[in-house]
Every structure is written in C-alpha cells, then in structure tokens.
Amino acid sequence: MGPARPRLQDGHRPLDRPRGVHRHHRRIPGSPQLNAAPADQIRLLDVQALDVRLQQLAHKRKSLPEHAEIESLTKDLTQLRDLLVAAQTEESDCAREQTKAEQDVDQVRTRAARDQQRLDSGAVTSPKDLSNLQHEIASLAKRQGDLEDVVLEVMERRESAQERVAELTERVSSVQAKADDATARRDAAYEELDGEAASVTKEREVVAGSVPADLLKLYDKLREQQGGIGAAKLYQRTCQGCRQELAITELNEIRSAAPDTVVRCENCRRILVRTAESGL
C-alpha cells in the first residue's frame, strides 16, 4: 500500500488560525483540518533535512573564498592593464617623436654638408658670400647639436617607457596566472558542490514523493515564507524551528490532538512534528 493520504475533517486545530488566539476563540465549525499519518509527518523532517542541506550547499557555493580572490585579482588586472596601455602609448609616442627628431637632424646634416662642399670647392669667391656661407654652416652645426640633444632626450624617455612596458607586461602575466589558478579552484569547487547538490536533489525527489501531496504543499508554502524551514521537530517541549518553548496551553492542546493531526507552532506557524522526544 502506498503512503496514507491526508484527509480534511473537522478537527482540533484549524490549518491557518491567527497567532495568539486560544483554541476556544479560534474554533470555526466546518473548518478543514489537515491530517497525515505520523510516519508521513516524520518523513517530512527528512525532506526538511535535505532542503537544509541544499540551502547549505547553495550558500557555500556563493561564499567560496575564491570569489573574493578572483574579484580582487580582476580589479588588479584591470588597473595593471590600464597602466600597461598608458605605458605602451607613451612608448609609441616617443618612437614617433624620435623618428621625427632624427629626420630633422638628417635634414640639417645634409644641408650643412652641402654648404661645406660649396665652401671647400672654392666656387664662392665673394667675401660677403663666403662670410654668409660660413655663418650658415656654424648655425647649422648649432642646430644639429640641439636636435641631437632632443634625439637623446627622446631616446631616454622611450627607453624608460619600454622598461615600464616590460615590467607591467610581466606583472599582468603574473596576476593573470593567479587569477587563472583561482578560477580553476573555484570551478573545481563548483563541480564538487553541484555534484552533491544533484545527488541531494534526487534523494529529495524520492523522499518527497512518499509524502502526501497536501502535506508537502503546505510544507513548501511554509518553507518559502519561513526562511527555508517549513517543518520542525518538537523536542523537549521546544519548537526546533523558532527555538521557543511552547506554552502549557499549547502543549496541552498538542497532547490532546490525534496522532495523525498536523499541528503547527503557535509562535512561528511551522509544522510541528511529534516524536518520542517531544516531551509531551
């Protein structure tokens, strides 16, 4: 035979009575009462335990230390890559500036060589022209020296930028390797946790399938409303859902309830499952 199905009847305890209202105030003639065999109610605790485990696994998945590590490393990578791009841009700008300065030097050098050739050839005989030519050669020499100083200064800045690029490239590579390692560890943890969650989910389906549908529906509704706990054991007169000791009037009512009556905690409204340890 399959599990006993829940039945609705006039009973000791309405399913959804307001909190804090005593029994003789909350009794409504004809109100439905959910009943389920004690064994079905105890199986509900098994379902609850599996749901708690699934919650724990989900929380552990979200709280893996690798998450913070990856986030920190990713932030470092972003900053380093921005610095690397800036250094590469500076090196590229210096390279263009150096090329332009070297071209200017070549132009001045060529012109100075041409003037020197004219001077050495003896083709210029006018004293005034000779003076002007000599003055221009001297000016070009000074101009060439100034431009060569510019080239050296740009070369130094370019060399510094190249060193910065090399340093940042190495740092990016190092941090990327750490991020890859943390990601691999996170993914391995995901695989393990997801595997266990799949196994627990399958077990939960089997156990929940043996619980009467109406009882399971009520449990799922309460679990959603009560932070993941829909059913709790009554242990030593205390609800294990809210950890509150039941009042004497509540205990007396539960004592008088039939074994198959589904009772609820007066304080948190969760399903209370009675066992030999309930202290009734």
Side-chain angles (χ1 to χ4, degrees):
M1 293 180 62
R5 309 305 296 173
R7 54 192 173 86
L8 298 177
Q9 66 178 32
D10 292 348
H12 303 283
R13 183 188 184 92
L15 185 58
D16 291 307
R17 69 176 183 272
R19 180 183 301 180
V21 179
H22 294 295
R23 183 179 178 185
H24 63 279
H25 288 152
R26 60 176 176 264
R27 179 71 175 89
I28 302 174
S31 61
Q33 168 63 51
L34 181 63
N35 292 333
D40 291 334
Q41 296 186 43
I42 289 176
R43 271 196 294 272
L44 199 59
L45 291 179
D46 295 333
V47 176
Q48 179 67 82
L50 293 170
D51 283 335
V52 168
R53 182 54 183 159
L54 287 173
Q55 286 180 305
Q56 292 171 340
L57 291 171
H59 176 74
K60 187 173 182 179
R61 195 181 197 276
K62 290 177 60 177
S63 306
L64 289 171
E66 286 78 11
H67 291 316
E69 185 178 356
I70 291 171
E71 182 179 358
S72 176
L73 290 170
T74 300
K75 182 178 179 181
D76 290 345
L77 271 176
T78 299
Q79 294 175 343
L80 287 171
R81 284 169 175 158
D82 288 345
L83 292 173
L84 177 58
V85 169
Q88 290 171 330
T89 300
E90 181 181 359
E91 194 279 332
S92 180
D93 290 344
C94 286
R96 286 193 294 272
E97 190 176 348
Q98 180 180 338
T99 297
K100 177 65 169 58
E102 289 174 343
Q103 289 173 346
D104 291 343
V105 169
D106 288 341
Q107 290 176 355
V108 171
R109 185 183 292 116
T110 298
R111 184 175 176 181
R114 185 173 62 246
D115 287 349
Q116 186 64 47
Q117 186 178 10
R118 287 184 60 200
L119 181 64
D120 294 342
S121 68
V124 179
T125 56
S126 167
K128 182 178 179 180
D129 290 341
L130 282 172
S131 176
N132 289 337
L133 186 58
Q134 290 171 341
H135 178 72
E136 181 176 348
I137 290 173
S139 296
L140 289 172
K142 184 178 184 307
R143 173 62 176 163
Q144 180 178 333
D146 292 341
L147 289 173
E148 287 175 343
D149 288 342
V150 170
V151 171
L152 289 174
E153 188 270 333
V154 172
M155 288 178 64
E156 290 176 355
R157 284 194 285 114
R158 183 182 181 186
E159 182 178 353
S160 177
Q162 288 173 332
E163 292 175 353
R164 180 68 170 157
V165 167
E167 175 196 355
L168 288 169
T169 298
E170 183 177 352
R171 289 175 64 185
V172 166
S173 178
S174 175
V175 174
Q176 183 64 65
K178 293 178 181 178
D180 291 344
D181 177 69
T183 300
R185 285 186 277 111
R186 181 204 63 188
D187 292 346
Y190 274 173
E191 185 176 359
E192 180 179 352
L193 292 170
D194 291 348
E196 183 176 353
S199 177
V200 174
T201 298
K202 185 175 181 180
E203 184 180 356
R204 199 260 191 202
E205 291 173 356
V206 173
V207 178
S210 67
V211 176
D214 286 353
L215 180 60
L216 187 65
K217 181 178 179 180
L218 174 61
Y219 160 76
D220 285 333
K221 177 182 177 181
L222 292 172
R223 183 166 62 90
E224 183 177 352
Q225 295 173 347
Q226 300 289 345
I229 305 296
K233 180 188 295 187
L234 176 58
Y235 179 77
Q236 295 298 314
R237 304 179 181 184
T238 298
C239 170
Q240 296 300 294
C242 60
R243 304 292 177 177
Q244 294 293 317
E245 185 174 352
L246 273 60
I248 188 65
T249 54
E250 185 74 3
L251 289 170
N252 288 336
E253 181 181 349
I254 293 175
R255 285 191 188 100
S256 65
D260 64 347
T261 298
V262 176
V263 297
R264 304 271 292 277
C265 174
E266 179 72 18
N267 182 62
C268 68
R269 306 298 297 131
R270 295 180 174 96
I271 296 170
L272 270 180
V273 179
R274 290 165 285 174
T275 71
E277 300 175 314
S278 294
L280 296 174

